[in-house]
Every structure is written in C-alpha cells, then in structure tokens.
Amino acid sequence: MNPSPLGGPADGLAAASALRAIADRLEDVEVERAMRAGWSWSQVAEALGVTRQAVHKKHLRRLLLAQIELRRRFGE
Amino acid sequence: MAMLVSWEVTSGVARQFEIEAKRDGAKFIEAEHMLLALAADSDGDAAKLLGESGLDYGRLASALKEEHRRTLACAGMNAPNRELVTATELDSSLTFGTSAKTAIRRALLASRQDRPRRPRLRSTDLLAGILQAELGTVARALAIAEVDRAGLISRTGRSE
C-alpha cells in the first residue's frame, strides 16, 4: 500500500504535526510574556499543567537571552 | 555533523539550510528547508534539475506555503500571525530534524553505492534523498504543485 501524501489520514497527520509545532512556538512566546510580567516558574508551570522543572529546563536559556530578570524567582 | 564522507554540497548551501529553517520559524532544519536551500543555489546541479521541472525557489516556497495553509485548514485553522508565535531566538545553531536526517541518510547510502571507498555527497544525491520521502511536507507540497516527484527523482539518477 502506497498512501497518497494528500487527503485522508495524510491530511490529519500533517495537521497534527503542524499544530504541534505552532503550539510549541506559542508556548515559547507566552512563557516569555508571562515571565516578563513577573510570573514565577511555579505559576507558569501550573498554568501549562507541567512541572516547574520542565518549564525551567525548556525555557531558561531563551529567557536569559531575552534578558528577563529571573534571579528573584529561581528559588520558587 | 561528523561523517566519513566528502560533502560536495557547498558550505554556502549548508548555511542556507539554517537560514531557511529560521525564516520558517522552525526549531529544527527539516527536509523542506534543505530543498529550498538547494533551489536557492542557482549554480548548483540540484537547482538546475529542479529548474528543468519548473521548480525555482519562488515556486517551491509558494508550494510549501500553500501546503501549510491547506494542512491547517484540515484542522479548521488559519496560519497564526507570525508575531504571535515568534519568541526570542536562541543563539545556538539549529540541529537537523527527523526528515532532514532521513534525507541525508538516504543520500549517503546512494553515494556509498557509487563510491564505497570515498563517498561524496553531491547536491543531486541530497535532492534525491529529500524527494524519496513519499509522505510528509515535501511530498505534500510537490503534489499540490502537481510536480512529478518520481520523474524528478529519476532525473537525479536515483530511483524511488
């Protein structure tokens, strides 16, 4: 069986992949926005429904590059 | 990426992989970014082959954009405004995503068959490796553009 790249499950799977990529980029933007607004790691994690450690690991590097003040919130 | 193979793909084209990925807002270099980079290298053999099939950079970019639009429409969505999904860019180089790694692996296998002792990765090998994916973004974009993917592969001297 050689499924077509267009139509049927191919469309649905491509959409799932595209939406995952958009969701990932949206998370980057919104975590950055929340931290600029003074949210804590714990608050961001709770809003996303993941652990604080997961948010920290995924976003710390970019937040530092964005020069967002994080020091006061490291211990939370 | 470290490989026991000579790259005939120029460093300029390799740099263009990342430029295309970043332009797309992607976190990884995928096969479609490599395809655009090959098409952008107008003096390269791959770009010439693509051009003979009427696929210049602009047409490829349009086909990929249309593929993205149609894909999101399948889920009842429009593409979001770019500003809404553009965060601070990391300063590190992008790495290859799965589709790009698969294309490179296919290209390397083909080049090793030709020259087992001193394989060379030519731009046309890489083009064939990209086109050999029967599913995914590139295959979808080419189908939308009504490009004969199999015919294009055979023009690279490879088979599906």
Side-chain angles (χ1 to χ4, degrees), chain A residues 53-71:
Chain A
Q53 289 82 359
V55 179
H56 195 272
K57 184 176 177 184
K58 188 172 179 184
H59 297 285
L60 176 63
R61 183 178 169 81
R62 202 185 54 263
L63 295 174
L64 290 174
L65 274 171
Q67 299 186 319
I68 295 172
E69 177 59 57
L70 300 169
R71 254 180 306 179

Side-chain angles (χ1 to χ4, degrees), chain B residues 127-153:
Chain B
L127 175 61
I130 294 166
L131 297 173
Q132 281 164 341
E134 295 177 348
L135 297 166
T137 302
V138 170
R140 290 170 62 78
L142 294 182
I144 287 169
E146 299 183 339
V147 170
D148 175 12
R149 190 179 56 82
L152 196 47
I153 294 170

Side-chain angles (χ1 to χ4, degrees), chain A residues 2-7 10-11 14-15 18-19 22 24-26 28-30 32 36 58 61-62 65-66, chain B residues 24-25 27 68 71-72 74-75 77 80 82 84-92 134-135 139-140 143-144:
Chain A
N2 291 317
S4 167
L6 294 178
D11 280 353
L19 290 174
I22 290 172
D24 203 37
R25 291 171 61 187
L26 185 61
D28 289 352
V29 171
E30 294 304 330
E32 196 172 321
R36 276 189 204 284
K58 188 172 179 184
R61 183 178 169 81
R62 202 185 54 263
L65 274 171
Chain B
D24 190 30
K27 293 196 166 186
H68 191 58
T71 294
L72 291 179
C74 293
M77 280 190 63
R82 195 173 173 82
L84 292 180
V85 287
T86 303
T88 298
E89 194 176 290
L90 289 176
D91 54 355
S92 52
E134 295 177 348
L135 297 166
R140 290 170 62 78
I144 287 169

